[in-house]
Amino acid sequence: MLASELLSLDFPVLKPEDSLDKAISIFHDHCICHVPVVSKNGLEGLLPLDLLLGIPSQGKLISDFKSDYIYAFVQPDQHGLNVFEIMAKQELTAIAVLDENQHYMGIITMNKLVTRLCDFYSFKKVGGIIVIKVGMRDYDLSEISRIVETNNAKVLVLYLDADEENATYNITLKLDTIDLSHILATFERYQYEVKYSYPSSLQKDQTQDRYDFLMKMFDI
């Protein structure tokens, strides 16, 4: 999933000589707060409309707000996860895509990006979540994978969150099973600190009960 596959090519853009009321109209029609300002096929920046909605004179030119522009873009060969990281860090609802010559190609909206991310098999598949805490020097991906796989499960997603101050990692694992009891016991036996898990034993039993009930309904 590359940025080039997420492009909205026909999304409206602003020109420096456009008025603020045109930007507000785009905001209401498309529900994004960051609209690209393009001049001669080059990106001048993203106009953050959420900062401008309270301005009484909407006849002012877009160029009057040049100091508020956010210059943020990605290239078409960047992966969707990298695009998501950039947008999340800058709290953007949309980001521009520029080609190798820095020419404007289109934008990627956060709504479209999140929708495509949710289409990933690993996100759609039901599974359990485990969060473990380890020291940075103790992090061993092969051991973590082995613990999961020796309990007849697979890692679907692994996310690493670094706590530099305490020199630790919080590792979030999504697995292909909701039966976590043996996996959790193995992690604890290897002296991993388990900070969170879902579902719990009770929640797993409730899920199984609902499944069994549904199967009985099909038998009737």
Side-chain angles (χ1 to χ4, degrees):
M1 182 181 63
L2 302 180
S4 58
E5 302 173 67
L6 300 165
L7 268 175
S8 295
L9 299 172
D10 56 351
F11 198 92
V13 301
L14 296 169
K15 297 178 181 179
E17 61 269 23
D18 286 333
S19 61
L20 183 57
D21 60 348
K22 180 178 178 180
I24 301 300
S25 176
I26 294 174
F27 167 77
H28 288 303
D29 291 342
H30 299 276
C31 297
I32 67 166
C33 295
H34 302 92
V35 180
V37 181
V38 177
S39 178
K40 297 179 181 179
N41 207 30
L43 177 71
E44 293 205 357
L46 302 172
L47 183 66
L49 293 178
D50 52 333
L51 301 179
L52 307 177
L53 291 175
I55 294 177
S57 178
Q58 295 185 358
K60 297 185 72 172
L61 299 181
I62 297 300
S63 57
D64 293 338
F65 303 97
K66 192 169 184 177
S67 61
D68 295 312
Y69 292 176
I70 300 170
Y71 194 72
F73 70 92
V74 294
Q75 295 182 316
D77 60 350
Q78 287 183 249
H79 195 273
L81 290 175
N82 185 223
V83 176
F84 180 79
E85 180 182 5
I86 293 170
M87 293 181 70
K89 283 182 177 178
Q90 300 194 48
E91 299 182 350
L92 299 174
T93 56
I95 193 166
V97 180
L98 306 184
D99 66 17
E100 58 184 8
N101 297 313
Q102 300 297 99
H103 292 155
Y104 177 79
M105 297 177 64
I107 69 165
I108 297 171
T109 65
M110 181 59 86
N111 284 343
K112 184 171 184 177
L113 178 56
V114 170
T115 300
R116 288 293 301 274
L117 285 173
C118 289
D119 286 339
F120 274 16
Y121 173 76
S122 56
F123 286 105
K124 291 193 294 184
K125 185 174 176 60
V126 175
I129 304 289
I130 296 176
V131 180
I132 57 177
K133 180 179 179 180
V134 300
M136 289 183 173
R137 293 183 178 180
D138 301 322
Y139 173 62
D140 186 340
L141 177 58
S142 61
E143 181 177 80
I144 292 170
S145 299
R146 187 168 61 252
I147 289 172
V148 173
E149 291 173 2
T150 54
N151 286 284
N152 300 315
K154 298 289 184 184
V155 177
L156 298 177
V157 177
L158 185 148
Y159 177 75
L160 202 64
D161 183 22
D163 182 350
E164 301 287 351
E165 183 177 348
N166 296 305
T168 58
Y169 289 128
N170 288 322
I171 304 169
T172 301
L173 303 167
K174 179 176 179 181
L175 311 180
D176 66 346
T177 178
I178 61 171
D179 186 0
L180 304 179
S181 55
H182 295 295
I183 300 170
L184 291 171
T186 308
F187 273 125
E188 291 170 356
R189 189 165 67 251
Y190 278 78
Q191 298 185 326
Y192 284 90
E193 180 183 347
V194 178
K195 296 189 65 178
Y196 173 85
S197 65
Y198 180 89
S200 66
S201 297
L202 177 59
Q203 291 164 332
K204 182 179 76 69
D205 291 342
Q206 291 173 339
T207 301
Q208 187 63 49
D209 288 344
R210 288 195 290 268
Y211 177 79
D212 292 341
F213 176 76
L214 182 61
M215 292 300 101
K216 288 179 181 179
M217 291 293 293
F218 280 123
D219 290 338
I220 294 176

